[in-house]
Amino acid sequence: MEISIIGSGSWATAIANLLSDNYDILMYARDNNVVNAINTRHINSKYFPEKILNENVRATSDIKNTLENKYIINAIPTQSIRNVYENLGPFFDESKVIINLSKGLELKTHFRISEILEDVLGDINYAIVSGPSHAEEVIKEMPTTLVCASNDINLAKDIQDIFNRDYFRVYTSTDVIGVEIGGSIKNILAFGIGMADGLSYGDNSKAALITRGIHEMERFATSFGASEKTINGLAGIGDLIVTATSNLSRNNRAGRLIGEGYSIEESIAKVNMVVEGIPTTRAVYELSKEKNIEMPITYEIYKVLFEGKSAHQSVKDLMARDLKNEY
């Protein structure tokens, strides 16, 4: 069986190599230089220049070639999904399965990724694989545990079997909303925790932001019907821990740079990858205001990113909020 992956970033490449020990893999990349490097030298030089990929990982710059397979893995940034898929509806029918690896909310509509894909493709067989996972560690086969969520538990179990390895353990869930929102909010919080690091605040500050951030994530997710258990699991707390505490996290790195005084543009340029937490902050801010969901940490991060507020003043204002019971 051949599995398609739409995208050629670090996470797409790590998953391609993981799956290729059992399946043939066809990756879509816009850049013909990436396609040629994968097909001739078996490397993705931008992300893993020293890692030789398995020879049955192939690449193409014609996205329609990837749509012939049953399993199609989405690994492109959230804000690009609509543009990529909106003309591909005729290629999708009830035999196709989309497995999503991306995280975030769409800026214009505030849709989760399953909602974006349903909007442009109609009814689809959909699952999301998410959780605490750095591509840089998965490509080295370091032990990693994630969750696969689908409204169809049997589909989730099928994907669990496809992905599971002795170093890559996958659990199943039917809480698509919780897994998608957990993966989105954690990027915002990781960004804020990175700012605290950049301001040279200590572990006390980081612990406070993580703990109160979990509370904020749970409040937002359950407002849309997610389960508290999902937020307390791999897709919520688990993913937040790995993203908020590691320099491998692009959101954490970008936040740290802003805390150190760099502009948003300078920070993104230095990270040199998509920082999904930035557009997601705007989407969650707007949606929480619309739904009247209290999100104090998100609000302050939004003000730093989009209103020019200093990161130092935002932390001071968070500490000066009205006193209240913890729960």
Side-chain angles (χ1 to χ4, degrees):
M1 181 173 72
E2 185 175 65
I3 294 174
S4 296
I5 300 181
I6 299 180
S8 59
S10 59
W11 191 217
T13 304
I15 291 298
N17 206 56
L18 177 146
L19 295 175
S20 65
D21 58 4
N22 287 342
Y23 307 100
D24 292 328
I25 304 299
L26 180 62
M27 300 179 70
Y28 164 73
R30 291 181 302 172
D31 188 337
N32 278 316
N33 291 326
V34 174
V35 172
N36 292 334
I38 290 173
N39 289 339
T40 60
R41 295 186 288 131
H42 310 296
I43 63 167
N44 187 332
S45 56
K46 180 177 180 180
Y47 298 103
F48 303 113
E50 298 179 0
K51 175 66 179 180
I52 302 299
L53 305 175
N54 292 331
E55 292 188 3
N56 58 325
V57 176
R58 299 183 300 112
T60 178
S61 58
D62 185 347
I63 195 169
K64 293 178 182 177
N65 291 339
T66 68
L67 304 180
E68 298 177 2
N69 295 322
K70 174 180 179 179
Y71 291 101
I72 299 169
I73 297 175
N74 174 70
I76 59 176
T78 302
Q79 307 310 322
S80 301
I81 289 174
R82 183 176 295 274
N83 288 338
V84 170
Y85 287 91
E86 61 185 352
N87 296 316
L88 300 178
F91 295 91
F92 286 85
D93 56 34
E94 61 184 14
S95 69
K96 305 292 184 182
V97 175
I98 293 186
I99 305 168
N100 175 48
L101 302 181
S102 300
K103 300 167 183 178
L105 301 181
E106 189 176 39
L107 268 175
K108 184 176 180 180
T109 65
H110 306 151
F111 281 178
R112 293 177 283 109
I113 292 174
S114 59
E115 294 174 312
I116 302 170
L117 291 170
E118 185 176 353
D119 193 38
V120 297
L121 299 176
D123 291 336
I124 53 173
N125 298 307
Y126 174 87
I128 177 171
V129 175
S130 186
S133 48
H134 291 310
E136 295 85 350
E137 296 183 3
V138 171
I139 200 89
K140 295 177 181 177
E141 300 188 2
M142 294 183 180
T144 302
T145 305
L146 288 89
V147 59
C148 175
S150 174
N151 293 328
D152 180 349
I153 189 61
N154 291 320
L155 176 59
K157 289 179 179 178
D158 288 344
I159 295 168
Q160 178 185 46
D161 288 338
I162 290 170
F163 276 75
N164 211 66
R165 299 290 184 276
D166 57 2
Y167 65 94
F168 197 87
R169 181 174 175 82
V170 181
Y171 289 88
T172 59
S173 169
T174 56
D175 187 8
V176 171
I177 295 173
V179 172
E180 289 188 321
I181 290 178
S184 300
I185 302 284
K186 65 91 183 180
N187 280 337
I188 301 173
L189 298 172
F191 196 94
I193 291 160
M195 286 197 300
D197 282 339
L199 290 165
S200 298
Y201 293 154
D203 293 338
N204 293 351
S205 303
K206 185 180 295 186
L209 285 168
I210 290 174
T211 307
R212 295 308 299 172
I214 291 166
H215 190 63
E216 196 162 299
M217 182 192 297
E218 185 177 281
R219 183 190 299 123
F220 186 88
T222 55
S223 296
F224 292 91
S227 168
E228 291 182 9
K229 289 183 178 179
T230 302
I231 301 306
N232 290 325
L234 291 164
I237 291 177
D239 209 356
L240 175 60
I241 290 171
V242 79
T243 311
T245 60
S246 173
N247 194 44
L248 292 176
S249 163
R250 63 190 72 176
N251 291 283
N252 185 276
R253 273 184 284 158
R256 184 181 295 113
L257 289 165
I258 286 178
E260 292 173 353
Y262 291 93
S263 68
I264 296 175
E265 294 75 18
E266 290 169 335
S267 300
I268 293 172
K270 283 181 173 291
V271 172
N272 197 30
M273 288 189 282
V274 174
V275 182
E276 195 63 64
I278 294 175
T280 301
T281 298
R282 181 185 286 277
V284 170
Y285 173 85
E286 293 172 350
L287 189 54
S288 63
K289 287 291 189 181
E290 176 188 330
K291 302 294 185 182
N292 197 29
I293 304 169
E294 186 183 12
M295 303 281 285
I297 298 174
T298 299
Y299 293 168
E300 291 299 332
I301 296 170
Y302 174 88
K303 291 173 184 176
V304 171
L305 287 174
F306 301 108
E307 295 182 356
K309 188 173 183 178
S310 77
H312 179 71
Q313 186 61 47
S314 278
V315 174
K316 287 184 66 175
D317 288 349
L318 278 171
M319 295 298 289
R321 294 174 67 238
D322 291 343
L323 299 177
K324 59 193 289 188
N325 189 284
E326 184 178 13
Y327 294 103

